[in-house]
Amino acid sequence: MNIGIVGLGLIGGSLGLDLRSLGHQILGVSRRSSTCQEALARGIVDDAGVNLSMLAAADVVFICTPLGAIIPTVEELIPHLSANTIVTDVGSVKTPIVKAAAAIWPNFVGGHPMAGTAESGLDAAISNLFAGNPYVLTPVETTPANAVKVVEEIVRSLACKFYLCSPENHDKAVAWISHLPVIVSAGLIDACMHETDPNVLELAQQLASSGFRDTSRVGGGNPELGVMMARYNKGELLRSLQQYRHRVDELIAHIEQSDWHALEEKLKHTQHSRPEFLASKNF
Amino acid sequence: MNIGIVGLGLIGGSLGLDLRSLGHQILGVSRRSSTCQEALARGIVDDAGVNLSMLAAADVVFICTPLGAIIPTVEELIPHLSANTIVTDVGSVKTPIVKAAAAIWPNFVGGHPMAGTAESGLDAAISNLFAGNPYVLTPVETTPANAVKVVEEIVRSLACKFYLCSPENHDKAVAWISHLPVIVSAGLIDACMHETDPNVLELAQQLASSGFRDTSRVGGGNPELGVMMARYNKGELLRSLQQYRHRVDELIAHIEQSDWHALEEKLKHTQHSRPEFLASKNF
């Protein structure tokens, strides 16, 4: 199959590596010709260029740009496509993307591979990034069944854990497990930095160990990515944050009232619940 | 030197391994004789038993029991000690422990090795657990200088990062980087479990990946340990929680008001601040 990839970063490049090794013809488009040359040199693509026009030959196109560039890219791409071309994306928020894209290109299937590394860019692209990790497709009523089938087959060939759901349920779910943790974790770092005694702050920095490292990791991540997910998933993120705030208030109340029994019951509940989120994951 | 260790779990057992390999004579006390036998079999101690009386020969005694048992253990131990014996502990909260222990045994030096693994118990004890990790001593005005010097020398021989501070500053610092993260992280798990749509909750559990795993880790840990640190460090934990709540409220306000510039500045600040807590750590 001729597969186009727009945006040759971590996700686009890793998709190219896997799909090309499965025998597909990979056409890559990047805004920078140096990235195109690197993708060719690493054998990530069969052909690469800076113009979307080269995707006229594609059967399926993966849009792997940052979230904010997905819809403008689809708009630019449309004049070059034949009517049968299927377009999919890898954006981490689905409702606004699918709504806008399906309105201008019915053969659009929203997608979200839940895979990544701490690195970004084409240099970070690796084989088997998606294997064992969740990959969600979010078709809507108007999405042609054949378009879903074609993208599903490609996605399943990556050996990922495949899921189908509505864009709305996707966005609710990722608000809980992906976007809320960023704010929770950023708030932790910010709170620590508000310690007013410089000796205590320095000591806290010296004594911080793996507990702080892990809890603060996603709050210390890419600021642009954090803002983008908050902009695009604002409603669901706020809904999860309000629930979170109530839960923290409840924990504070238990501690204020020295209600150690209630605190222990709550911590037993969280200890018991956490494994449900981690079962059969690729880590 | 004759070194006594009361409580042969992860910390006590790992201390025994390291200190015995440095040539000290290690006397271990555990409430369970099966643990004593295991410690002898693994070469963690030179002698072991269930009675504190065997520590009459010790120059220094490390109390490695859970936090709630430290003071009762010191009280039980005193009748068996000679006046010169130095007692130290490994509890994760220092102010109440040091206050109570120094009042009944002036030769007491509070201590806290910031090391651990996900496991607990003697089976989890390993060599070099402390190497490269912080180890804090918290002497007070009345602590004899010689007692601090002796414990400091032993602790430094573990190749740890050595720190001295007041019990109060220790408790403020660990509230930020060790105890606050537990509540922040438990609140995250608890909030997710309050999703009322079972389809969305199931999807969230399926899609949760490394971001959720890391942010939720310490909130899914040992409930008894969580309650103990909240009980013993209640004042400082509440102080850090109030600050945290303000910071989360500020982040919520930025999102509600779609103030993406302010959100991005805040996330740049947290991204920039986090490495200060992780510099030159053993992970």
Side-chain angles (χ1 to χ4, degrees), chain B residues 236-279:
Chain B
E236 294 306 333
L237 176 57
L238 282 173
R239 181 173 161 264
S240 71
L241 272 164
Q242 297 300 355
Q243 178 61 258
Y244 176 69
R245 208 170 159 290
H246 289 311
R247 306 283 58 91
V248 169
D249 282 353
E250 192 178 57
L251 287 159
I252 292 174
H254 292 334
I255 298 168
E256 275 176 344
Q257 293 155 22
S258 296
D259 188 346
W260 309 125
H261 176 72
L263 181 64
E264 184 162 350
E265 288 305 305
K266 188 58 83 176
L267 294 178
K268 280 182 181 168
H269 170 66
T270 58
Q271 182 187 43
H272 180 261
S273 303
R274 182 172 178 259
E276 300 288 323
F277 292 84
L278 307 178

Side-chain angles (χ1 to χ4, degrees), chain A residues 114 134 136 163 165 169-170 172-174 176-177 180-195 197 199-201 203-224 226-227 230-231 234 237-245 247-252 255-258 260 263-264 266-271 273-274 276-278 281 283, chain B residues 114 134 136 163 165 169-170 172-174 176-177 180-195 197 199-201 203-224 226-227 230-231 234 237-245 247-252 255-258 260 263-264 266-271 273-274 276-278 281 283:
Chain A
M114 310 283 292
V136 196
Y163 298 102
C165 67
N169 278 1
H170 169 275
K172 285 180 205 279
V174 296
W176 288 121
I177 52 85
L180 175 60
V182 171
I183 304 299
V184 162
S185 176
L188 172 64
I189 301 170
D190 193 28
C192 293
M193 293 304 291
H194 275 74
E195 168 59 54
D197 181 335
N199 293 322
V200 173
L201 178 58
L203 189 63
Q205 290 169 334
Q206 288 166 334
L207 301 187
S209 67
S210 61
F212 183 86
R213 175 198 62 196
D214 288 358
T215 320
S216 68
R217 185 173 67 80
V218 297
N222 185 324
E224 291 80 20
V227 171
R231 281 181 88 136
K234 177 178 167 175
L237 176 57
L238 282 173
R239 181 172 160 269
S240 70
L241 271 164
Q242 297 300 356
Q243 178 62 255
Y244 177 69
R245 211 172 158 289
R247 307 284 55 94
V248 169
D249 282 352
E250 192 177 55
L251 286 160
I252 291 174
I255 299 168
E256 275 176 344
Q257 293 155 22
S258 296
W260 309 125
L263 181 63
E264 184 163 349
K266 187 59 84 177
L267 294 178
K268 280 182 181 169
H269 170 66
T270 58
Q271 183 187 41
S273 303
R274 182 172 178 258
E276 300 287 324
F277 292 84
L278 307 177
K281 291 292 159 55
F283 46 67
Chain B
M114 310 282 293
V136 196
Y163 298 101
C165 68
N169 278 2
H170 169 276
K172 286 179 205 277
V174 297
W176 287 122
I177 51 86
L180 175 59
V182 171
I183 304 299
V184 162
S185 176
L188 171 66
I189 301 170
D190 193 29
C192 292
M193 293 304 291
H194 275 75
E195 168 59 53
D197 181 337
N199 294 321
V200 172
L201 178 58
L203 189 62
Q205 290 169 333
Q206 289 166 334
L207 301 188
S209 66
S210 61
F212 183 85
R213 175 198 63 196
D214 288 357
T215 319
S216 68
R217 184 173 68 80
V218 296
N222 186 323
E224 290 79 21
V227 171
R231 281 180 89 136
K234 177 177 166 175
L237 176 57
L238 282 173
R239 181 173 161 264
S240 71
L241 272 164
Q242 297 300 355
Q243 178 61 258
Y244 176 69
R245 208 170 159 290
R247 306 283 58 91
V248 169
D249 282 353
E250 192 178 57
L251 287 159
I252 292 174
I255 298 168
E256 275 176 344
Q257 293 155 22
S258 296
W260 309 125
L263 181 64
E264 184 162 350
K266 188 58 83 176
L267 294 178
K268 280 182 181 168
H269 170 66
T270 58
Q271 182 187 43
S273 303
R274 182 172 178 259
E276 300 288 323
F277 292 84
L278 307 178
K281 291 292 159 59
F283 46 67

Side-chain angles (χ1 to χ4, degrees), chain A residues 47-62:
Chain A
D47 198 3
V50 296
N51 294 315
L52 291 167
S53 59
M54 74 180 293
L55 299 180
D59 302 301
V60 178
V61 178
F62 282 80

Side-chain angles (χ1 to χ4, degrees), chain A residues 75-88:
Chain A
E75 285 168 347
E76 264 189 78
L77 182 65
I78 286 174
H80 305 291
L81 300 181
S82 70
N84 292 329
T85 310
I86 297 165
V87 178
T88 184

